[in-house]
Amino acid sequence: FANVEYGNTLSNIQLDETCKLYIDATATSGTTIDRSWALLVKGGHPYKEAAYNIATGNIDNCISYAQVEITRTGDLKDQINIGTLLGAASGANDDISVPGKMSNCKNYGTIWIHDFNQGAGYGTTPYNYYTIVGGLAGEIGGYVVSNCENHGNIVIENCDMKTGTLYVGGLVGYNCNRVNSNTSNLMGDINNCRNYGSFLVGQDESKPVALNNVGLAGICARFQWGGISYCDNYGEFKIKATQNDA
């Protein structure tokens, strides 16, 4: 689905192992329509610009067993958001409405990030051009994720990033407010959630990992505005990686 219209609910959907999402992040860069990806709902992008800030409704009791595969064959030129069930979401059209919510959802599928490369000197600063990945949702702005679980492992291998930033969270990649700036008081919120998936980074020595700017976290990789409460991480972190200075 491109989006769940604000005020409506998408519920009781199961994606089995025969489903798969393959993303070449390079192909999505520089576009406005393909900045968010997911198996179930791509969603709206929490930015100030009206073209991106489209409110997303409710997602309830949805389960995925499908694999998400992410690669990048060339330099990324934009931010992209990737989740198993939800790419990105702005919680409402204004700061006084009740925000949309993802609730009672689970992911069991693996997230596999491989051959993910970016050359030195691309962009005005080394951290430019984020790739944001979440076990359930990529980026939430003024949106709520509640009573959800991730059981899928996150595997990162054969990566060489000299610039760019990679954020990967067990539940959510990036949690911010409705318009991703300090002009909004409708904050993103993650509560009563659990991550059981492990982070397996560079475990195959034949597929080494070298990263520049990276954030890995059991619940949320980048937290800017909003709240996290009553959440637990049970996933292991097994990391073999080198610092790749630009």
Side-chain angles (χ1 to χ4, degrees):
F1 298 91
N3 196 24
V4 179
E5 186 176 353
Y6 179 75
N8 294 308
T9 298
L10 182 67
S11 61
N12 303 317
I13 293 178
Q14 180 170 307
L15 304 171
D16 65 21
E17 295 89 341
T18 63
C19 300
K20 181 178 179 179
L21 178 63
Y22 171 83
I23 300 168
D24 180 348
T26 311
T28 72
S29 64
T31 67
T32 58
I33 191 170
D34 291 336
R35 295 177 69 167
S36 299
W37 285 95
L39 285 153
L40 189 62
V41 178
K42 292 173 67 173
H45 204 297
Y47 268 123
K48 291 186 290 184
E49 293 88 339
Y52 303 140
N53 192 15
I54 303 170
T56 299
N58 303 315
I59 303 171
D60 181 63
N61 195 37
C62 293
I63 301 175
S64 175
Y65 294 88
Q67 183 187 79
V68 175
E69 180 181 354
I70 307 166
T71 187
R72 187 162 78 198
T73 56
D75 289 337
L76 183 68
K77 301 178 180 66
D78 215 329
Q79 173 181 324
I80 62 169
N81 306 290
I82 302 166
T84 57
L85 294 177
L86 175 63
S90 181
N93 292 312
D94 52 55
D95 280 2
I96 62 174
S97 299
V98 176
K101 177 190 293 188
M102 172 186 283
S103 56
N104 306 307
C105 293
K106 297 180 181 180
N107 172 61
Y108 293 90
T110 299
I111 297 175
W112 179 30
I113 303 171
H114 67 94
D115 297 287
F116 201 82
N117 310 307
Q118 182 141 317
Y122 191 86
T124 56
T125 54
Y127 59 82
N128 268 2
Y129 311 118
Y130 300 154
T131 298
I132 298 172
V133 182
L136 289 169
E139 180 177 355
I140 59 171
Y143 195 79
V144 176
V145 176
S146 178
N147 296 307
C148 292
E149 296 179 359
N150 175 56
H151 296 259
N153 289 337
I154 296 167
V155 180
I156 304 175
E157 58 187 13
N158 202 34
C159 295
D160 183 13
M161 292 181 63
K162 294 181 176 65
T163 57
T165 300
L166 176 65
Y167 289 119
V168 186
L171 274 299
V172 175
Y174 177 21
N175 182 20
C176 61
N177 67 3
R178 183 178 62 85
V179 293
N180 196 7
S181 77
N182 58 10
T183 63
S184 170
N185 59 21
L186 185 63
M187 306 295 178
D189 185 70
I190 307 169
N191 64 76
N192 295 292
C193 292
R194 308 288 180 267
N195 176 58
Y196 299 92
S198 295
F199 287 75
L200 308 175
V201 182
Q203 296 303 293
D204 185 339
E205 293 185 359
S206 68
K207 300 175 182 179
V209 173
L211 301 170
N212 189 318
N213 297 285
V214 61
L216 305 175
I219 304 300
C220 180
R222 182 182 180 186
F223 177 84
Q224 192 162 354
W225 291 286
I228 299 176
S229 58
Y230 304 106
C231 293
D232 296 295
N233 174 62
Y234 298 99
E236 294 184 300
F237 285 76
K238 297 182 178 180
I239 301 173
K240 294 181 180 179
T242 58
Q243 175 71 29
N244 197 349
D245 296 320

